[in-house]
Amino acid sequence: MKMKHKKKLPKIVIIGAGFGGITLAKSFKKKPIDVLLIDQNNYHNFQPLMYQIATGGLEPDSIAYPVRRIFRRYKNVRFRMAKVNRVEIEKKKLRTSIGNIAYDYLVIATGSKNNFFNFEPVKDALLSLKSIPDALNLRSFIFQNLERSLVVKRSGEKTLLMNIAIVGGGPAGVELAGALAEMKRYVIPKDFPELDLSKMHINLYQSSPNVLDVMSEEASAKTLIYLKKLGINVYLNTRANSYNGSVLTLADGTTFPTDTVIWTAGVKAAPIGGIPANSIVAGNRIAVSKYNQVLHTENIFAIGDVAAHITKENPKGLPMLAPVAQQQGKLLAKNLVLLTQGKSMEEFVYKDNGVMATIGRKKAVVDLPHWKFQGAFAWLVWMFVHILSLVGFRNKAVAFVGWMANYFTYDRPLGLILRPYYRNYKKK
């Protein structure tokens, strides 16, 4: 009697459990595909709310969710926590921290990382917001400095510890600035009544003429008004030139004494090693076709921040936004199933559903394709969209309750220094 051999399913390996990778893997549910998802962390985090962790508005588990829990009911999706070092294209194999992993099709969804530009030599002196550990470090650092401000004797040192500089006026910088301004106005006076907050200055530096220059002129103008009303000192057309650990120097020679410089000035793609050099374009991104296939390869694809489909309409590729990654992931899942069936793939066309940002309570800006609005209603829309976007019912509930409590009490309750943070940088 002959044994029936189970048909081997095509093996698709996805690197990265961000918006693109998670959407792609979920789209393979009940499909005749063997999926392996790899990430350095065992959780998916909601990057747009990272500043809420940094300023004590939410705890990390409110915006993070275990990857394995997401795929509990997916029989064809497995997960491995590992770092991918490089791909060996000819052998269809990945070199990782847990050994070699073979694939039939590979999808790179590794996202982006901070681009420090000329600040690379002093990056250890800067604080950033690219990960949950970054956000927790920033939270601890700010509260540590407030505690130190109470005991230092010299006025100059007190000012140094209290001042905060944010370099970069994009969505991350603007939302963080707004949250810090509200902390200064409503929270710090209650928790640190002995501090003279007139000595605390929050400066936002933007090298271009507008904050939020990825949004409409109306949104940018309104955001500037909101920031100034909150007491943020906004410097446009101002480029940060250097930092020595205690003094931020601008291109025009102006200086700002501060122990806290937060970097939100730009990102670059984070591709894995082994990708053909002629497939890497500006911003360290991987050039892809209209099917998100990596150029000069056959069975490797890339989606999200790491991918760049360059066209006349988008000479730099599509913007590094979560909706881009999610839409690419959804279509790529369909295309890979078609590919395994020997059928033609569909071209990817991005549908712009709009962008939004919040600057504080009842202060937000929303740009939809055919409607632009700002203010309290925009803030409610922003809150509704972000709560729905969180993974897991508990996370949605916790975020909603936290924000409502903050709205009615004008307070941010999470000022704990559970893990003190000290920069690995010697001041010059």
Side-chain angles (χ1 to χ4, degrees):
M1 183 177 179
K2 291 184 177 180
M3 297 287 292
K4 288 186 177 179
H5 294 285
K6 192 174 181 180
K7 185 180 178 182
K8 183 181 178 182
L9 299 176
K11 182 178 180 180
I12 296 177
V13 176
I14 305 168
I15 309 173
F19 290 109
I22 291 292
T23 301
L24 174 63
K26 290 174 71 174
S27 300
F28 283 123
K29 188 174 185 178
K30 297 182 179 180
K31 302 295 183 184
I33 301 290
D34 175 21
V35 180
L36 178 63
L37 178 61
I38 304 173
D39 196 278
Q40 295 183 74
N41 301 306
N42 74 334
Y43 56 86
H44 164 76
N45 67 69
F46 192 71
Q47 183 74 32
L49 292 181
M50 203 67 73
Y51 77 97
Q52 289 273 338
I53 306 300
T55 55
L58 294 172
E59 282 289 23
D61 61 358
S62 300
I63 70 165
Y65 202 79
V67 174
R68 291 186 179 279
R69 192 163 297 176
I70 295 174
F71 296 102
R72 276 181 174 177
R73 298 183 181 180
Y74 290 68
K75 295 181 179 180
N76 63 328
V77 178
R78 295 171 293 128
F79 173 74
R80 293 291 182 271
M81 182 175 167
K83 179 181 179 181
V84 177
N85 298 315
R86 64 184 295 104
V87 57
E88 294 187 0
I89 296 176
E90 296 79 9
K91 298 179 180 179
K92 290 188 178 181
K93 181 172 67 177
L94 292 173
R95 289 194 176 277
T96 79
S97 59
I98 58 172
N100 296 336
I101 296 175
Y103 64 85
D104 293 316
Y105 298 94
L106 175 65
V107 181
I108 303 169
T110 44
S112 58
K113 59 184 179 180
N114 284 311
N115 188 352
F116 293 104
F117 300 101
N118 59 307
F119 278 73
E120 187 70 30
V122 295
K123 65 181 181 181
D124 291 337
L126 309 175
L127 296 149
S128 62
L129 266 182
K130 277 302 284 182
S131 68
I132 287 178
D134 285 345
L136 290 173
N137 290 341
L138 176 54
R139 182 201 294 187
S140 294
F141 196 79
I142 289 173
F143 282 101
Q144 285 168 216
N145 277 358
L146 290 173
E147 294 288 352
R148 290 172 60 196
S149 298
L150 291 172
V151 297
V152 295
K153 302 300 181 183
R154 291 183 299 174
S155 177
E157 188 175 357
K158 190 183 294 285
T159 299
L160 183 81
L161 292 170
M162 294 174 67
N163 282 347
I164 296 175
I166 302 170
V167 181
V174 162
E175 292 183 335
L176 177 62
L180 288 172
E182 290 191 334
M183 276 182 60
K184 178 185 175 182
R185 181 174 293 184
Y186 301 118
V187 181
I188 298 176
K190 298 176 185 176
D191 293 345
F192 297 86
E194 301 161 79
L195 284 180
D196 178 6
L197 294 180
S198 66
K199 295 180 179 179
M200 181 181 186
H201 304 283
I202 303 173
N203 290 3
L204 176 66
Y205 299 100
Q206 171 72 339
S207 60
S208 68
N210 302 297
V211 292
L212 287 185
D213 50 12
V214 296
M215 296 185 69
S216 65
E217 291 183 6
E218 299 98 307
S220 177
K222 195 68 174 181
T223 297
L224 185 60
I225 292 172
Y226 286 148
L227 289 170
K228 289 184 176 180
K229 282 185 176 180
L230 285 169
I232 301 294
N233 303 311
V234 182
Y235 296 87
L236 302 175
N237 292 309
T238 304
R239 187 176 296 277
N241 193 52
S242 64
Y243 182 57
N244 65 2
S246 58
V247 176
L248 180 68
T249 303
L250 308 179
D252 63 0
T254 305
T255 59
F256 179 59
T258 178
D259 195 49
T260 308
V261 176
I262 305 169
W263 188 266
T264 61
V267 295
K268 59 183 177 182
I272 60 172
I275 299 298
N278 56 353
S279 296
I280 303 295
V281 295
N284 216 31
R285 301 176 84 180
I286 301 174
V288 298
S289 70
K290 55 191 175 184
Y291 307 110
N292 280 99
Q293 187 169 11
V294 176
L295 299 187
H296 314 296
T297 68
E298 293 183 2
N299 52 356
I300 302 179
F301 299 79
I303 59 175
D305 289 2
V306 77
H309 178 213
I310 297 173
T311 62
K312 289 182 179 180
E313 296 76 22
N314 296 290
K316 295 182 180 179
L318 289 167
M320 292 180 168
L321 299 173
V324 175
Q326 291 168 322
Q327 291 180 33
Q328 288 175 334
K330 190 172 183 179
L331 180 64
L332 183 56
K334 180 179 180 180
N335 277 339
L336 286 172
V337 172
L338 290 173
L339 195 60
T340 61
Q341 296 172 347
K343 298 178 181 178
S344 299
M345 295 187 290
E346 296 180 13
E347 295 183 18
F348 175 75
V349 178
Y350 174 54
K351 182 181 179 182
D352 185 0
N353 293 317
V355 289
M356 58 186 70
T358 182
I359 303 90
R361 51 185 293 115
K362 297 193 291 186
K363 297 179 180 67
V365 291
V366 176
D367 283 355
L368 299 180
H370 304 292
W371 186 25
K372 298 174 177 61
F373 54 100
Q374 306 88 35
F377 179 63
W379 179 73
L380 289 172
V381 170
W382 175 92
M383 186 170 64
F384 178 75
V385 169
H386 282 71
I387 286 176
L388 285 184
S389 299
L390 288 169
V391 177
F393 173 78
R394 179 188 174 281
N395 287 14
K396 291 178 171 65
V398 169
F400 178 74
V401 171
W403 285 340
M404 287 299 98
N406 173 237
Y407 179 79
F408 288 111
T409 65
Y410 286 83
D411 206 353
R412 285 175 175 259
L414 305 173
L416 304 177
I417 305 174
L418 295 175
R419 33 172 277 175
Y421 174 70
Y422 303 98
R423 295 176 301 185
N424 184 26
Y425 181 80
K426 293 183 179 180
K427 295 183 180 181
K428 297 179 180 179

